[in-house]
Amino acid sequence: MTALTERSAAPAPRLATRLRARVGAYVGLTKPRIIELLLITTVPAMMVADRGWPSLSLLFWTLLGGTFAAGAANVFNCYFDRDIDRLMQRTQKRPLVTGEVTPRAALVFGFVLTISSIVLLLITTTPLAAALSAAAIFYYAVLYTMVFKRHTRRSTEWGGVPGAAPVLIGWAAVTGSLDWPAVVIFAIVFCWQMPHFWALALRFKDDYAKADVPMLPVVTTALSVGRQSVAWAWATLAVSLLLWPVGVEYGIGLGYAIPAALLGGWFVVESHRLLARIKRGGDFRPMTLFHVSISYLSLLSVAIIVDAIV
């Protein structure tokens, strides 16, 4: 009797394991780490727009809708890029490459997330937030993934538009419109993306070259990439300080400006250090700037939030 019971219970753990693996594969298609970074910029935009804490329900539904939108864009990106993902060591374990998810299933999943995002934001926030969400998904999935990424060295700049879109979506969810502080926060995230992604592209330059993706480090020298990263880091600092005068009516003051100057200075210094290492030759450790850039954006978002509620 005991042996029979053990045999009948045995399939349950295997079924649970398969289910977890299948769910994990679908979640993997959405690139959750990227979504986390995008949502970090949504919250401060909402708080500035509301001049404090928006309602918890609005915050929840906006973040959920934004998660679905970003997830949809990333699923479509995995679908269209599955040919080059097979060639790159960094992406060879993605679910569409390993066969954990079929292309058809991924495409259906992407459309389900897209519709869910648009409907959810339309019902719970504002029509403008829903429209911006739809536009961002289309831009990233079609224009960036299918056109810019494969045909121009300036794909990172073009891709910066949907990458900064959560700021506008968050602002529109609160107010139903856009204002200059939203544009400035959008510009901060836009400028920030160039040093951030070029540092990653420097690290995986050979992967992109193998897949024939004309990322900037593939088509030009590391020295040129370093110099352009420095320029964009300075631009990020300058635009971040612009939020102070532009956002005065929304409660942005010295409580934000001082941390923004210090954090921006740190970001600029690290970009200069990368350039110096490139000039010296050898291992220039681009991932150092990559990790600093993540910390920079996270801490800057905290500074905006704190200044908005204090």
Side-chain angles (χ1 to χ4, degrees), residues 118-271:
I118 296 170
V119 171
L120 185 62
L121 290 173
L122 183 61
I123 293 174
T124 62
T125 63
T126 68
L128 180 58
L132 288 170
S133 172
I137 294 170
F138 175 81
Y139 189 118
Y140 187 79
V142 178
L143 297 181
Y144 170 74
T145 300
M146 299 180 66
V147 181
F148 301 135
K149 182 176 180 179
R150 294 175 182 248
H151 297 98
T152 174
R153 68 172 61 191
R154 294 301 171 190
S155 60
T156 305
E157 290 94 319
W158 287 107
V161 175
V167 170
L168 303 182
I169 295 171
W171 189 283
V174 173
T175 66
S177 62
L178 296 176
D179 203 350
W180 283 111
V183 175
V184 173
I185 300 174
F186 172 91
I188 294 170
V189 180
F190 176 85
C191 294
W192 164 86
Q193 289 176 87
M194 265 50 83
H196 173 73
F197 283 111
W198 285 337
L200 185 68
L202 280 169
R203 168 65 178 82
F204 294 102
K205 172 186 172 181
D206 293 341
D207 259 6
Y208 286 113
K210 185 188 303 181
D212 199 27
V213 177
M215 290 289 287
L216 190 64
V218 175
V219 299
T220 190
T221 64
L223 182 60
S224 176
V225 176
R227 286 171 174 165
Q228 292 184 59
S229 296
V230 166
W232 280 104
W234 275 105
T236 305
L237 170 58
V239 176
S240 70
L241 294 178
L242 182 62
L243 182 60
W244 179 19
V246 169
V248 167
E249 294 182 6
Y250 289 87
I252 297 297
L254 283 174
Y256 161 79
I258 293 174
L262 295 174
L263 291 169
W266 179 35
F267 191 31
V268 166
V269 167
E270 286 300 329
S271 69

Side-chain angles (χ1 to χ4, degrees), residues 81-92 97 206-208 210-212:
D81 274 357
R82 64 190 187 278
D83 58 335
I84 61 176
D85 283 346
R86 289 189 178 90
L87 305 175
M88 299 171 60
Q89 184 177 357
R90 184 174 65 90
T91 56
Q92 284 177 347
V97 177
D206 293 341
D207 259 6
Y208 286 113
K210 185 188 303 181
D212 199 27

